[in-house]
Amino acid sequence: MNHLTTETFDANARAALTDLQLRGALRQATSLFGKRRLAAAQSLPDWEDLRTQARRIKDETLLHLDRYLEEFTANAEKAGARIHWARDAAEANEIVKRLARERAARLVVKSKSMTTEEIHLNAALEAEGIEALETDLGEYIIQLAGETPSHIIAPAIHKTRHQIAELFVEKLGIAPTDDIPTLTITARRVLREKFGAADIGISGVNFGVAETGTILILENEGNIRLTTSLPKTHIAVMGIEKVIPRFEDLEVFLKLLPRSGTGQHLTAYQSLITGARRSPQDEGPDELHIILLDNGRSRMLAHPTTRQSLACIRCGACLNACPVYQQIGGHAYGSVYPGPIGAVITPQLIGLSKAAKLPYASSLCGACREVCPVKIDIPELLLHLRAQITEEQETGDRKSERSKQRTAERLSFKLWAAIITRPRWYEFSGKLAHLLQRFVVRKNRIGSVGRFVSWIAPPLAAWTAARDLRPIEDKSFRQQWRERGSSPTAREEAAETRP
Ligand code: SF4
């Protein structure tokens, strides 16, 4: 079981960086997802328009969320669903447990749902003596391993085929094999028996349509179909931000989500569920309960900058594009939601003080913003949260410390401005720094090729506490420019490349 927390992010990340098997699995999976996403996006000439449209729909919904939630509730209830409101994780879990108790449920089958991960529903059910079985293959694998998901759409992305094979041999008692069809058939056999025996099926929700009270759930394995139709009771746990106004809006999101997530033009199954079955001849469960979960979302809604976090459609594209996630994977974040979107929503869900390190787990390169199908400006959100963290820290003793730091920063920038605007000073300072750096240049501690500055004396020590610097080269840029500029070959090369 992984017990990593948001508070130990630095140590988690350093440990993940030394796990070469993990990094290999991540490199392979994230680059494959990235290539597929790009090809799928390029297949639609109106891709950018769709992104703009999706964002407009989300903005409109979030601005009038109260109205759309009421409309969704009224229409879902009219269609036969029961709506429950949960302010937080504890209330949501209590509702599920009560429903399970009332039906004397012993076995629950679950489809992949980040929202139920967020509220730690499995642990709550287990404490109640109810078995909660994950039925998505990736989720099933990590449940067997006693782990948590490391990716929003590919929970077992960090595991290699051989690791999964070993797990199946150990936990399911099959003969040693790493043949993929044998492994999937084994999982299928175990899960099929459980679907038939389950008392309740629990799912998440991708979108809830206010106009009709319909919920849409996307998947590729068919396990959601079974989870939501075989047991007599279906419970869907839905974050309040999942509501969209109109049925026709789905067309936009159905084009964007699968392409952004897995590079598919459409997922293999799209389950549109409007209420429970209406007559004995109909298929499906007798009851549909939809739990509308807040759990900190209203707080995000209150501020125009943080509000955009709620536009997320959980496609996972920002994780695949993020250079930090690509190196350390999801577990290092110590939170249910990893990667760039996790670094943004986790501090808002569990509190800035507990997850203060996450908004800094980014190089602010903007790759997440580039790929996000709903154009969420994650770097802007990260900076907003960093500013809040700094403000929160500025109390009492810490405040006077910060004011000293600010004075030091101001002086440093004045000195820097004085140097950089005087060519002679600038050149001299470069030479001086080159001479002095010999006392601090060491081999890079993470094993990359080349020399790095891994320690600078205070007050600049904070910089190298988390990152390494390239040392100043023997010849400065200006020196090289002078030498190359005076060489006939360099002049000829420059002349050839001139238009
Ligand atoms: S922030 Fe954007 S890219 Fe990341 S998971 Fe959400 S919708 Fe996808």
Side-chain angles (χ1 to χ4, degrees):
M1 186 66 133
N2 43 312
H3 293 292
L4 307 180
T5 69
T6 48
E7 279 142 308
T8 56
F9 173 77
D10 291 350
N12 306 344
R14 286 195 190 283
L17 286 171
T18 60
D19 186 340
L20 297 183
Q21 203 165 36
L22 168 76
R23 292 177 69 185
L26 285 169
R27 196 166 37 244
Q28 211 177 356
T30 54
S31 78
L32 185 69
F33 276 139
K35 279 183 203 147
R36 286 188 182 160
R37 186 205 75 84
L38 192 62
Q42 284 169 347
S43 73
L44 281 182
D46 58 346
W47 182 252
E48 286 308 312
D49 291 345
L50 282 167
R51 290 177 74 205
T52 310
Q53 237 177 303
R55 183 55 191 272
R56 206 179 303 129
I57 295 167
K58 278 288 184 179
D59 283 346
E60 179 206 342
T61 317
L62 293 171
L63 214 52
H64 306 289
L65 192 59
D66 52 344
R67 203 176 76 207
Y68 287 119
L69 281 170
E70 276 174 19
E71 190 184 342
F72 174 78
T73 303
N75 288 326
E77 282 182 340
K78 215 185 292 166
R82 273 282 321 277
I83 300 288
H84 308 260
W85 296 85
R87 267 174 296 209
D88 54 25
E91 274 192 14
N93 286 335
E94 201 41 58
I95 294 166
V96 178
K97 286 192 290 186
R98 179 173 50 76
L99 292 171
R101 268 197 304 268
E102 286 167 2
R103 283 147 193 83
R106 305 283 10 120
L107 171 64
V108 159
V109 280
K110 282 186 69 229
S111 66
K112 197 179 88 56
S113 151
M114 291 309 291
T115 316
T116 61
E117 290 285 345
E118 177 188 323
I119 61 175
H120 303 292
L121 179 59
N122 288 9
L125 287 172
E126 272 157 32
E128 202 64 12
I130 299 165
E131 184 188 355
L133 185 80
E134 296 290 348
T135 61
D136 170 89
L137 182 57
E139 284 277 350
Y140 179 59
I141 290 166
I142 59 157
Q143 188 177 35
L144 278 182
E147 295 178 8
T148 52
S150 67
H151 192 285
I152 290 176
I153 60 158
I157 196 173
H158 58 292
K159 290 219 173 289
T160 62
R161 171 160 54 123
H162 304 292
Q163 288 174 323
I164 295 167
E166 279 170 17
L167 187 69
F168 275 35
V169 171
E170 184 200 329
K171 301 280 180 174
L172 303 178
I174 61 167
T177 177
D178 62 359
D179 174 52
I180 291 175
T182 309
L183 296 173
T184 48
I185 287 166
T186 304
R188 186 188 166 103
R189 181 176 40 76
V190 175
L191 294 173
R192 283 282 156 132
E193 282 170 21
K194 298 285 187 175
F195 282 120
D199 306 292
I200 294 177
I202 299 181
S203 75
V205 172
N206 288 104
F207 300 99
V209 183
E211 185 181 49
T212 56
T214 305
I215 54 172
L216 170 67
I217 319 173
L218 303 175
E219 58 155 336
N220 282 312
E221 297 172 17
N223 64 305
I224 292 184
R225 281 278 159 94
L226 294 168
T227 301
T228 58
S229 56
L230 277 184
K232 285 189 181 333
T233 304
H234 171 200
I235 302 174
V237 185
M238 170 177 158
I240 52 172
E241 80 286 11
K242 296 288 176 72
V243 75
I244 55 169
R246 297 157 293 266
F247 201 82
E248 66 186 31
D249 297 330
L250 284 177
E251 189 190 341
V252 175
F253 293 105
L254 281 174
K255 283 182 181 162
L256 288 170
L257 203 161
R259 282 178 170 83
S260 302
T262 51
Q264 289 171 288
H265 289 205
L266 203 54
T267 48
Y269 300 89
Q270 298 82 42
S271 297
L272 285 154
I273 302 169
T274 313
R277 70 172 171 163
R278 291 166 189 77
S279 72
Q281 291 78 38
D282 288 347
E283 290 176 359
D286 297 338
E287 308 167 78
L288 167 63
H289 296 266
I290 303 173
I291 300 175
L292 291 170
L293 176 73
D294 185 325
N295 205 30
R297 287 160 174 80
S298 300
R299 275 200 306 273
M300 295 187 217
L301 195 65
H303 193 285
T305 305
T306 53
R307 187 178 303 147
Q308 59 176 323
S309 330
L310 296 172
C312 175
I313 55 173
R314 308 279 191 268
C315 71
C318 57
L319 279 63
N320 302 329
C322 175
V324 176
Y325 180 89
Q326 284 170 2
Q327 298 301 324
I328 61 172
H331 288 155
Y333 290 81
S335 64
V336 170
Y337 299 104
I341 190 62
V344 158
I345 56 177
T346 305
Q348 300 184 75
L349 288 177
I350 67 171
L352 280 178
S353 56
K354 277 195 190 147
K357 295 197 186 261
L358 298 191
Y360 296 90
S362 166
S363 63
L364 299 178
C365 68
C368 47
R369 182 178 46 207
E370 290 296 306
V371 298
C372 178
V374 277
K375 294 191 170 180
I376 298 177
D377 194 342
I378 294 179
E380 183 194 17
L381 280 161
L382 290 167
L383 289 173
H384 175 83
L385 293 173
R386 288 181 190 185
Q388 276 193 335
I389 290 163
T390 311
E391 259 171 46
E392 274 192 14
Q393 286 171 342
E394 286 189 356
T395 50
D397 295 346
R398 180 77 192 138
K399 195 169 185 174
S400 65
E401 199 185 308
R402 267 300 293 162
S403 114
K404 276 186 214 152
Q405 279 175 4
R406 281 208 175 132
T407 313
E409 272 171 23
R410 255 197 306 276
L411 287 173
S412 309
F413 278 112
K414 274 194 177 153
L415 183 64
W416 173 243
I419 291 173
I420 203 159
T421 49
R422 291 171 176 83
R424 277 174 198 281
W425 285 30
Y426 181 72
E427 196 153 6
F428 173 73
S429 65
K431 281 184 186 154
L432 187 65
H434 178 251
L435 276 176
L436 294 177
Q437 74 174 351
R438 71 178 58 184
F439 302 110
V440 290
V441 172
R442 294 171 196 174
K443 278 211 170 113
N444 181 18
R445 55 196 152 196
I446 302 165
S448 314
V449 183
R451 295 179 309 148
F452 285 83
V453 179
S454 54
W455 180 83
I456 306 180
L460 300 176
W463 178 269
T464 46
R467 25 176 121 60
D468 296 326
L469 279 176
R470 283 276 177 196
I472 297 168
E473 293 300 331
D474 295 344
K475 288 185 180 177
S476 71
F477 174 79
R478 296 161 71 91
Q479 205 176 338
Q480 289 184 48
W481 180 262
R482 275 197 295 268
E483 286 173 12
R484 295 180 107 220
S486 61
S487 117
T489 333
R491 276 203 302 272
E492 276 158 27
E493 277 173 10
E496 271 172 31
T497 52
R498 222 170 277 142

